[in-house]
Amino acid sequence: MLKTILITIVIIAIVVLLLGFKVFFVKGGSFPSMHISSNKEMKRRGISCAVSTDARDRNRKNLDDIVKEN
């Protein structure tokens, strides 16, 4: 039982080091941004994140609001 726990801890430590290689060993390194708005290809295709799309849609006036203003 103790042997299994130690092996598991060692495996997890190795995985964390490998996943964070750029952060730990490269000067000025950081994790890559996974947000859609910082992805160049998504921007080129005109795709934005759901939060930005929702905020933009909430600020749009619909026909009913325009009629009520006049």
Side-chain angles (χ1 to χ4, degrees):
M1 171 90 172
L2 184 61
K3 184 177 179 182
T4 305
I5 293 172
L6 289 175
I7 291 172
T8 304
I9 291 172
V10 168
I11 290 173
I12 291 174
I14 291 170
V15 168
V16 167
L17 283 173
L18 291 175
L19 287 173
F21 184 80
K22 185 175 178 182
V23 174
F24 299 133
F25 301 114
V26 175
K27 185 176 181 179
S30 64
F31 285 109
S33 175
M34 296 295 179
H35 199 267
I36 291 173
S37 65
S38 63
N39 188 316
K40 291 178 186 177
E41 186 62 25
M42 293 290 203
K43 283 182 184 178
R44 187 183 71 77
R45 294 180 183 202
I47 300 171
S48 61
C49 72
V51 174
S52 299
T53 303
D54 185 50
R56 184 184 66 232
D57 290 344
R58 287 178 187 266
N59 291 328
R60 279 193 186 154
K61 291 184 178 180
N62 58 24
L63 183 59
D64 188 41
D65 293 336
I66 295 171
V67 170
K68 286 179 183 178
E69 287 179 359
N70 293 330

